[in-house]
Every structure is written in structure tokens, then in C-alpha cells.
Amino acid sequence: MELLDDGVLAAARKVIAVHINYPSRAAQRGRTPEQPSYFLKPSSSLALSGSAVERPAGCELLGFEGEIALIIGTPARRVSPSNAWSHVRWVTAANDLGVYDLRYADKGSNLRSKGGDGFTPVGPGLLPADAVDPAALRIRTWHNRALVQDDTTADLLFPFARLIADLSQLLTLEPGDMILTGTPAGASVAGPGDLLEVEVTGADLSTGRLVTTVSEGTTPLAAFGAGPKVDDVQREEAYGSREAAGLPPAGATGVLTPALKATLESVSTATLSSLLRKRGLNNVSIDGLTSTHPGRRVVGLARTLRYVPNREDLFAAHGAGYNAQKRAIDTVGEGEILVMEARGEKGTGTIGDILALRAQVRGAAAIITDGGVRDFAAVAAMDMPTFYANPHPAVLGRRHIPWDTDVTIACGGTTVQPGDVIVADADGILVIPPALAEELAGDAVVQEREEAFIAEMVADGHGVNGLYPMDAAWRKRYDEWQERQAHG
């Protein structure tokens, strides 16, 4: 086995990187491309094993991505997939580093975010391409000695030969050019002092571990260029998930404390509805739905999923693969309620037994859809309640495209936003603005205590005039009743 050296780096006129190529990464990203897409990294970003990479001063999110790199041996122009592999001379390990803090400024080019000096370490060993099976390679990455990526090339979205053939249709791949072939799930963020290692193995051969250490930059980026800027979207992308980034589940606002949830579970939607009406909120009920567990009271924070009317040319891109529906189901959190906008369309199913089961396993409190439910008997038998318009045997694609998640939607005649508090019981389903939830719950407890007194008086034979609502005389008797209740 040869070792990669400065001469190999000097021969690389182009460094081409593939966006998404591993099914595990596609699932993590929530999108599966139909065709490969690429970006360029400057050859000045290349570095040898043992080098240090600098996280630019002021930046937070230095992402690492273990990858298999192909090094071209003979020119390739308009080659076919059947002979494309013959143009590869070596296979080695690579780390596709980048700062997510600068992605916003790149507009897809990745030049600033992934093109920095040392942002493409490769090596240390070179595996002869003719000695390995490109479909039987293994890629592993370690972060501070912990294995975080481990995958094979057995089921790539785009096999290596296809990448080479595809690129060669429009540009000549020259000897020394490198192709970074995508990263599997598990890529994340490294900080100053961290150790990163990547190894590629195949046919009892190994590249050895590509070693990179992370240091902290000390020179701030100049004010005349784009500066670092991050938000929770970029943190989620960099770490691979909201959970890994230390973020709350999408839609969670922290408003629904255990105490508040217990209080809302103790009062009826009828009481809450009257209190919302007193505050001028009349259009806050999701109407026309039936529950698989009519007697069950449910309280939770809303997660949202929007369907748009099916248009066949759009369904191929948005309806297939790991679409918005599956992403919503796969990310709904403990105690959350997935609310679906189906436009009141009853002519197809919007949820079936497998996805409903997945939501239940993840701890969802309920599913609410103003459309149909497939596999109704199985869904109805689940412990998790589902609120629905009607059963229907047809699949989603008959009338819907799953379009996006965690956006403002319409369901059952009202507007629902991620993080709204949903309360449902035998009377119906209410949507409570989070800012009102605490105050509303307290007032509901007071009102229901008053109504318990009124009901007791009516049961004793009193008329409702002056009692419901209470006048001053009855209010005095109510205060006395409360005092007796408090002292047993």
C-alpha cells in the first residue's frame, strides 16, 4: 500500500464532492435525490493525515463528514458506467469539513463554508482501485475515539461508476482529480481540541486512520465579508438531529409543564371554550371529527403536517421516498399531537396502521386529521387516539401530496400552529394559544368549582334564576360552601 503524500495533493486540479449518496444520510436529511448533485472544493483545502484544521474565529459549527475519496488515474471524458471504474487509480479516506455558520452566504456553492484551508484532509494510505470492489467498501469515522459513522457502499444511491460517468459527460476528469463520494449518517460537529479519524477498508486492505485535530482560530473574519451566522435550523443540520444539537423537539415551546398539563386534563373543553369566547376567541375548535377513543381526554402540544392537492408531476418529487409525512411521524415527540391539514378531503386516507403505530411507539399523545384514515380497524385498536373525518381505503397519493411540516396549517375549520396547546375530550377539540394556556387553565378550575356548586344546588331542588349565573346572594352562599369544602 502506498501512502498519500504532497505529490498526490499537488496533482489534484479538481476536488469534486457529492451532496447526498448514502440512504442513511438521505433518511437523516429527509430528502432522497433522484440524481446526483455536486459542488467543488478548492485544491488548497486538501491536507495530509496528522494535520490540524482551524475552526474560524467566531464560528460555532465545524461539521465533519467521513467520506471515501476516489483519485482519478487516467482521463475520463464521456465514459460509460461499465468502464468508468477503470479510470480510478486509488481509493482513500477523506473528511469533508465545513462551517455551517457560513452556509447562508454561499447560496449552494459551499465555497466559504467548505473551502477553507485544511478543510479536506485525505489519506493516509492509498488502496489500489483494481484491488477492491467499489460496492464492498466500508467507511468508519471516530470522534474523540468514539465510533460515530459506520456504513458500506453496498446500497449507495449512486454507485461510484455512475458518479464518474455522470461527471464525465460535461467535464474531463483528469489524473489526480479527487471525488468525495458522500457521507453516511452520523456526521456531526467538532470543537477545538477534538480528534477526528476516518478509515476506509475493503478486500482486507485499509487506508489506516486519517487523523485530524481541531484548533480554535484567533483571527476574526473581516467586516467586509460575510460573518458567521447560525440558527437552530443550521444547528440541526450540522448535528444531524434536533436531539443531538440539544434543541427541544420542533414545535415544543416549554409552555406545557407537567402541572399545567394535569390542570388542563382536569377541566372540560366546554369550560375552556366558554373562557376562550370571553376573550374574543370563537374560532378555536377543530370541528367535524370523530375519535377512535371518544371518552379519552387528550392534552398535548401541536406538531403540524400539511397536505396539498395531488398533482402528478409534483408527487414524484414530494410524495415518494422519505417525504414530509414520514418525517413528521419519525420526529413527533413524547406527548405531542400530530395535526394534519387534509383540507377536509374525505376521499382517501391520510394515515394508516404502520405510520400510526410508529407515532404511538414514539409516544405521540394523538393524531388529528381532517381527512380519512386507512386500515381503520388496526388504527382504532391502538391505545393512541386518532381523530379523523372518516375511514377510507385509498392510499394518500389519490388526493394528497405531503408537502411540509411544522408550519401554520388549517384543520377542521381553524388555524393550528406548531406549539399550540391542543385539548380534546368527548365534546370536541380546542386549539389554545400557548400564551393563554396558564391563565385559561386557572380560570377553568375556578369556573368548574363554581359549576359544581351550582349543580349541587340544582340537584337539591333550587331553581336556576339567580343561581346560574350566581347573583350576590348565591355568591355569598357559594363562598360559605367553599369554606366548608376546604375544612372537610
Side-chain angles (χ1 to χ4, degrees), residues 121-407:
V122 288
L126 298 169
L127 308 184
D130 58 6
V132 299
D133 179 354
L137 296 172
R138 183 183 184 188
I139 172 78
R140 288 182 292 173
T141 305
W142 292 264
H143 181 198
N144 293 330
R145 307 294 187 188
L147 182 65
V148 293
Q149 291 185 287
D150 189 355
D151 213 331
T152 74
T153 57
D155 59 352
L156 293 176
L157 299 175
F158 312 111
F160 294 159
R162 178 175 172 181
L163 297 177
I164 297 162
D166 181 43
L167 287 165
S168 77
Q169 302 312 296
L170 291 173
L171 56 95
T172 300
L173 295 173
E174 301 165 302
D177 287 351
M178 294 189 189
I179 303 172
L180 309 186
T181 56
T183 194
S188 189
V189 172
D194 285 359
L195 174 69
L196 300 170
E197 299 169 283
V198 185
E199 181 184 20
V200 176
T201 56
D204 296 324
L205 298 174
S206 170
T207 60
R209 293 196 184 186
L210 167 65
V211 176
T212 306
T213 55
V214 181
S215 64
E216 180 72 278
T218 57
T219 303
L221 296 174
F224 50 75
K229 185 167 64 175
V230 297
D231 55 23
D232 286 352
V233 173
Q234 292 304 324
R235 292 186 179 96
E236 180 180 357
E237 288 268 303
Y239 282 93
S241 70
R242 296 184 65 84
E243 181 180 11
L247 300 171
T253 64
V255 68
L256 196 59
T257 62
L260 176 56
K261 183 173 184 289
T263 302
L264 289 171
E265 288 172 338
S266 72
V267 298
S268 71
T269 57
T271 301
L272 293 168
S273 179
S274 67
L275 291 169
L276 285 164
R277 181 175 174 81
K278 288 179 182 178
R279 289 163 171 78
L281 294 172
N282 293 301
N283 192 29
V284 287
S285 62
I286 297 176
D287 298 334
L289 305 186
T290 304
S291 174
T292 56
H293 294 280
R296 183 83 61 83
R297 181 167 291 172
V298 178
V299 177
L301 291 179
R303 295 286 303 280
T304 61
L305 168 62
R306 183 167 71 104
Y307 297 116
V308 298
N310 184 28
R311 208 179 83 185
E312 288 77 4
D313 62 317
L314 296 176
F315 191 90
H318 293 271
Y322 198 60
N323 58 35
Q325 180 198 42
K326 293 177 182 176
R327 295 198 302 274
I329 292 292
D330 253 354
T331 58
V332 67
E334 182 81 24
E336 293 181 331
I337 297 174
L338 180 58
V339 185
M340 301 179 179
E341 175 186 340
R343 311 176 311 284
E345 169 57 62
K346 298 181 179 181
T348 192
T350 56
I351 191 75
D353 58 347
I354 298 299
L355 294 185
L357 178 61
R358 174 63 174 157
Q360 177 174 280
V361 168
R362 287 191 57 80
I367 290 175
I368 298 174
T369 174
D370 61 354
V373 170
R374 296 181 70 231
D375 311 307
F376 180 75
V379 173
M382 293 180 188
D383 185 61
M384 177 194 68
T386 294
F387 297 80
Y388 63 98
N390 59 284
H392 201 283
V395 296
L396 178 77
R398 182 170 185 249
R399 298 284 174 82
H400 301 298
I401 304 174
W403 198 256
D404 48 13
T405 63
D406 294 313
V407 294

Side-chain angles (χ1 to χ4, degrees), residues 1-9 48-49 90 92 122-127 206-208:
M1 181 187 69
E2 295 188 45
L3 291 178
L4 191 148
D5 57 21
D6 287 328
V8 176
L9 299 190
L48 295 172
S49 181
W90 287 310
T92 194
V122 288
L126 298 169
L127 308 184
S206 170
T207 60

